[in-house]
């Protein structure tokens, strides 16, 4: 990705946070943005009992949703002001049990594409203080998204006989 001025980076991060965190599902999960840069995003998801399963681990579907949001957000760093994106698909590989104070989802764009972009996401466990003692991922995934133009389609002139 290209270099970006600090003010443009701040505007990008603010726009991305506003767009993503306005989604009800994002608010339900309760993650926050730790880092936003062109082609790269890090999300932090604190553990809460309702995100877990009966053994106190993060539930796999929650990890999948976090991967979707992280990868989609990384892909969205390349959008224009009049564009949004939708997820086409994502894959998740759960590698190890995730028992932690929280998860960090580190996403990076691997193919910005034209209309379709692909990102890779690694999820690691973090401690209460935010530190990552073991950098081996507990899950990894790929996220494919499609760009959507938010501008209204041009209206064809009315050719009806009058």
């Amino acid at each position: 990705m290209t270099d970006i001025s600090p003010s443009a980076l701040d505007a990008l991060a603010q726009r991305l946070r506003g767009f993503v965190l306005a989604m009800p599902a994002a608010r339900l999960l309760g993650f926050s943005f730790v880092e936003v840069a062109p082609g790269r995003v890090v999300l932090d998801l604190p553990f809460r009992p309702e995100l877990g399963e009966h053994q106190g681990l993060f539930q796999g579907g929650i990890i999948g949703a976090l991967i979707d949001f992280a990868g989609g957000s990384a892909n969205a760093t390349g959008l224009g002001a009049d564009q949004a994106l939708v997820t086409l698909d994502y894959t998740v590989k759960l590698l190890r049990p995730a028992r932690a104070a929280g998860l960090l989802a580190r996403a990076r764009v691997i193919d910005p594409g034209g209309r379709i972009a692909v990102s890779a996401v690694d999820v690691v466990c973090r401690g209460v203080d935010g530190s990552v003692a073991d950098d081996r991922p507990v899950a990894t995934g790929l996220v494919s998204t499609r760009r959507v133009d938010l501008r209204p389609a041009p209206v064809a002139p009315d050719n009806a006989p009058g």
Side-chain angles (χ1 to χ4, degrees), residues 15-74:
R15 191 176 85 207
L16 183 63
R17 285 181 176 107
F19 178 76
V20 173
L21 297 177
M23 292 182 212
R27 290 194 308 271
L28 178 68
L29 285 176
F31 61 81
S32 62
F33 284 83
V34 174
E35 179 183 339
V36 175
R40 197 173 66 247
V41 166
V42 178
L43 300 182
D44 178 31
L45 178 64
F47 183 79
R48 303 186 319 269
E50 58 271 26
L51 301 180
E53 43 89 78
H54 54 276
Q55 297 178 46
L57 304 168
F58 275 94
Q59 196 274 336
I62 298 298
I63 296 171
L66 182 64
I67 286 172
D68 180 25
F69 274 111
S73 294

Side-chain angles (χ1 to χ4, degrees), residues 45-141:
L45 178 64
F47 183 79
R48 303 186 319 269
E50 58 271 26
L51 301 180
E53 43 89 78
H54 54 276
Q55 297 178 46
L57 304 168
F58 275 94
Q59 196 274 336
I62 298 298
I63 296 171
L66 182 64
I67 286 172
D68 180 25
F69 274 111
S73 294
N75 289 344
T77 64
L79 293 178
D82 292 330
Q83 295 177 320
L85 57 76
V86 294
T87 300
L88 292 174
D89 63 23
Y90 63 96
T91 60
V92 175
K93 299 297 181 197
L94 301 169
L95 305 172
R96 306 185 287 127
R99 182 187 313 275
L103 298 175
L104 293 177
R106 300 169 175 163
R108 63 182 167 60
V109 174
I110 58 175
D111 185 356
R115 292 192 56 165
I116 297 174
V118 180
S119 59
V121 183
D122 286 329
V123 178
V124 297
C125 293
R126 67 152 176 85
V128 174
D129 64 355
S131 66
V132 176
D134 183 351
D135 213 31
R136 293 179 303 152
V138 295
T140 191

